[in-house]
Amino acid sequence: AQTVTQSQPEMSVQEAETVTLSCTYDTSENNYYLFWYKQPPSRQMILVIRQEAYKQQNATENRFSVNFQKAAKSFSLKISDSQLGDTAMYFCAFMVFNTGTASKLTFGTGTRLQVTL
Amino acid sequence: NAGVTQTPEFQVLKTGQSMTLQCAQDMNHEYMSWYRQDPGMGLRLIHYSVGAGITDQGEVPNGYNVSRSTTEDFPLRLLSAAPSQTSVYFCATRLAGGYEQYFGPGTRLTVT
C-alpha cells in the first residue's frame, strides 16, 4: 500500500515571497505519478502540477515547480512570487502508473497555506 | 459540457435516515470514484468504478453502497446515516489509463 505524508499542517508566506511545501511518500512501485492539488475556499479541487516518476527533470508550471527526489521519496512544491490567490489547502497525491483503469489516487493530509500582505 | 456535477450541494440528515448523493459526468470517462474529506485526514477513497456494472471498495467503504448502471452516473447511497458520516464528499472521474482526475464541486453532508 502507498502512503503520502505532509508534515506541515499550516504555513504562512508573505506576498511576493517564495514558499516550499513538503511531501514524502512510501511505495514499492517504480512507475507512478505524483501530484499537487490546490483546494481554495471554494472547495474545488484543482490540479496544480504533476510529475511522472520516470522523468528526472522536475516539473514546472509557471510559478509552481517541484523538487522530485525519487531515491528519497520526496516531492516538494515550490511556489514563487506568492499571490493572495494562492491561499488554499494543498494536497500531495500519488497514483501508480497503470495502463488500465484501476489505479487509485492516494492523498496526504494537506497543508493549509496562507498568503499575507 | 458540464464536466462532473454533484447534487445536492448541501444536505442535513438525521441519524438513521437514508439518502443518495448523485454524481454525473458527460466526458465519457470510464473511471469514477467517491472520496470523503475530513479535517486533518485529506481525501479518502470510499468506492470506485472502472466501468458500467463494475464497482469495488476503496479505503473506507463501510456504511456506503454504490452502483454503476451507466457510464454517466455513479450514485453513492447512505442506507442509515450516522454522525461519523458527516463530511464533504467528492466525486472524481478520469479516462482509463489517464492520470488527471476531474473533481466535482463536492457535497457537504451533516448528520445530526
Side-chain angles (χ1 to χ4, degrees):
Chain A
Q2 284 69 234
T3 59
V4 179
T5 302
Q6 294 179 250
S7 58
Q8 305 154 314
E10 296 184 354
M11 294 191 73
S12 181
V13 63
Q14 287 193 318
E15 198 176 24
E17 297 295 309
T18 295
V19 63
T20 298
L21 309 184
S22 301
C23 173
T24 58
Y25 59 95
D26 189 27
T27 184
S28 58
E29 301 286 342
N30 194 48
N31 294 319
Y32 49 86
Y33 293 104
L34 291 161
F35 307 90
W36 280 98
Y37 279 88
K38 171 185 178 181
Q39 187 181 42
S42 67
R43 202 168 70 195
Q44 184 66 44
M45 294 290 289
I46 302 165
L47 178 63
V48 174
I49 198 165
R50 80 172 192 280
Q51 175 81 42
E52 291 91 337
Y54 66 87
K55 290 186 176 179
Q56 292 187 338
Q57 187 173 6
N58 289 326
T60 299
E61 291 286 343
N62 300 313
R63 298 182 295 107
F64 298 87
S65 61
V66 299
N67 183 2
F68 173 48
Q69 302 289 330
K70 190 173 184 179
K73 296 180 181 175
S74 171
F75 183 61
S76 61
L77 174 70
K78 185 172 80 171
I79 306 174
S80 304
D81 186 25
S82 297
Q83 300 175 359
L84 294 177
D86 296 332
T87 292
M89 181 74 85
Y90 288 82
F91 292 99
C92 180
F94 172 101
M95 186 172 79
V96 175
F97 176 79
N98 190 324
T99 54
T101 60
S103 292
K104 298 179 280 289
L105 202 56
T106 301
F107 286 88
T109 53
T111 296
R112 186 174 302 279
L113 177 66
Q114 180 73 46
V115 181
T116 60
L117 292 171
Chain B
N1 189 335
V4 183
T5 59
Q6 289 184 238
T7 55
E9 185 177 356
F10 299 97
Q11 183 71 50
V12 179
L13 288 179
K14 294 187 187 303
T15 298
Q17 287 185 318
S18 63
M19 80 158 296
T20 299
L21 306 185
Q22 301 289 348
C23 174
Q25 53 105 356
D26 60 0
M27 298 176 286
N28 205 32
H29 286 177
E30 295 89 347
Y31 184 93
M32 297 185 74
S33 54
W34 278 100
Y35 293 87
R36 59 176 290 172
Q37 181 180 12
D38 302 294
M41 302 189 77
L43 280 77
R44 293 179 293 167
L45 183 65
I46 304 171
H47 285 286
Y48 66 97
S49 169
V50 298
I54 307 170
T55 64
D56 205 347
Q57 296 181 350
E59 182 184 354
V60 287
N62 293 341
Y64 308 95
N65 282 345
V66 292
S67 60
R68 183 103 178 265
S69 57
T70 67
T71 299
E72 294 78 20
D73 301 295
F74 190 44
L76 179 72
R77 298 183 184 85
L78 286 71
L79 298 180
S80 179
S84 61
Q85 294 178 304
T86 293
S87 188
V88 178
Y89 292 84
F90 287 96
C91 178
T93 76
R94 66 173 170 83
L95 284 167
Y99 65 84
E100 183 168 359
Q101 302 259 359
Y102 294 78
F103 284 85
T107 294
R108 180 175 293 278
L109 175 67
T110 301
V111 183
T112 61

